[in-house]
Amino acid sequence: METIKELLDSEAQRINNPDFIGRDPVQFPRRFETLQDIELVSFLASMIAWGNRKMICRDIEKMLALMDNQPYKYMMDEGYEDLDPRLNIHRTFFGEHLAHFLRGLRGIYAKYGSLDSFAKTHKVGEEEFPAWKLVELINNELEVANGTSSSRCFPLNLNQSALKRVNMALRWLVRDDGIVDMGIWKSIPKSKLFIPLDLHVGNVSRELGLLSRKANDRKSVEELTEVLRTFRPDDPVVYDYALFGIGIGE
């Protein structure tokens, strides 16, 4: 495993650099200065981050333009109530889903001031699986605010879901090496982050002998992250850069 660790360390260093930012959705939350805007855009951008990256970035740009590039103000002013429910934002994500999400989050912000404070108040960082607990709590707030749930925002099948996009947003918000990730959240330690697992990361991990399971589900996220913690217990998710970069040549 020492050779594998050396490879992962090398690849992580190659990909985790400022040049990566402009090609990735992380560029969008990095445009903002306040905690509220940064964390809100992190979750909004990651929520529609599936498919072609150029298309993803184009559609995040379009979504922010809907909010006059003032997402927190737009949410607190309830601008989402004027959205056309049928407005296509990204693939199968429409205006009705954006309104659903912002309506629920507005209640959280009104009470707690930020999502970081919300997570801290509910001691999410003390959980064994912080990402899944956070989504459970937010889903509850969304359902209360909307009277219904929606899997278009966050997954509802938390026993199975890998929570790839949520784990990516948490990497942005929690990791604090000052390179790509922003490290502005204090409610969750980076040692408790989990790998954002997608098809490519899963396949590379299996080829390297880091993952035995065939499915890209929650159990696989747990298994892979546990292995990565043996390499770097304080910061296992730095290896997301390595597993992303291997085979892509970015």
Side-chain angles (χ1 to χ4, degrees):
M1 276 293 186
E2 185 61 31
T3 303
I4 297 296
K5 182 182 185 303
E6 290 174 0
L7 171 65
L8 293 177
D9 285 334
S10 173
E11 285 295 297
Q13 186 174 13
R14 180 174 71 88
I15 299 295
N16 184 23
N17 70 79
D19 292 339
F20 179 82
I21 295 169
R23 304 189 301 271
D24 190 79
V26 73
Q27 67 184 276
F28 296 100
R30 290 184 65 93
R31 293 179 183 178
F32 296 87
E33 296 181 358
T34 68
L35 169 62
Q36 288 80 6
D37 277 323
I38 293 169
E39 62 182 12
L40 180 58
V41 174
S42 292
F43 283 107
L44 287 171
S46 64
M47 192 178 302
I48 64 170
W50 80 92
N52 178 273
R53 276 207 293 167
K54 288 185 178 180
M55 183 183 297
I56 291 166
C57 291
R58 179 201 70 191
D59 290 346
I60 296 170
E61 196 82 70
K62 180 173 68 175
M63 178 171 58
L64 292 175
L66 286 172
M67 307 178 197
D68 295 322
N69 290 295
Q70 300 180 79
Y72 176 68
K73 183 178 186 299
Y74 177 87
M75 177 183 67
M76 298 310 292
D77 289 347
E78 299 180 278
Y80 51 81
E81 297 296 355
D82 296 327
L83 277 176
D84 179 351
R86 299 162 297 176
L87 175 68
N88 183 243
I89 294 173
H90 178 70
R91 301 183 72 173
T92 59
F93 190 84
F94 290 84
E96 64 179 299
H97 306 123
L98 179 58
H100 179 98
F101 188 66
L102 293 177
R103 192 177 293 118
L105 258 63
R106 185 183 184 279
I108 294 175
Y109 278 92
K111 184 174 181 181
Y112 297 92
S114 71
L115 286 171
D116 189 31
S117 178
F118 174 73
K120 183 177 181 180
T121 299
H122 289 281
K123 300 181 178 180
V124 170
E126 298 178 17
E127 296 282 333
E128 184 178 4
F129 305 106
W132 287 267
K133 184 61 178 181
L134 180 64
V135 170
E136 177 190 340
L137 291 167
I138 293 178
N139 276 342
N140 289 341
E141 297 289 338
L142 297 181
E143 186 168 358
V144 168
N146 291 281
T148 185
S149 56
S150 173
S151 60
R152 287 286 188 271
C153 297
F154 284 155
L156 302 176
N157 58 332
L158 297 183
N159 288 331
Q160 299 292 326
S161 177
L163 288 188
K164 187 263 180 179
R165 295 189 291 276
V166 172
N167 281 314
M168 181 174 69
L170 290 178
R171 194 202 80 208
W172 297 346
L173 292 167
V174 173
R175 287 199 68 256
D176 57 357
D177 61 6
I179 303 175
V180 173
D181 300 318
M182 297 167 288
I184 61 169
W185 265 27
K186 308 304 178 188
S187 57
I188 301 173
K190 62 185 177 183
S191 61
K192 287 194 170 183
L193 292 177
F194 282 80
I195 201 78
L197 178 65
D198 59 14
L199 180 63
H200 176 76
V201 168
N203 287 341
V204 170
S205 299
R206 292 181 190 94
E207 290 173 10
L208 294 175
L210 301 171
L211 177 63
S212 61
R213 287 176 53 79
K214 294 182 179 180
N216 293 321
D217 56 8
R218 175 173 173 171
K219 287 185 178 180
S220 291
V221 174
E222 294 175 14
E223 177 185 321
L224 175 57
T225 305
E226 192 60 35
V227 173
L228 297 176
R229 283 186 178 134
T230 65
F231 298 151
R232 196 175 293 188
D234 65 315
D235 188 19
V237 176
V238 67
Y239 294 121
D240 184 36
Y241 291 103
L243 296 172
F244 168 84
I246 292 173
I248 290 181
E250 288 256 346

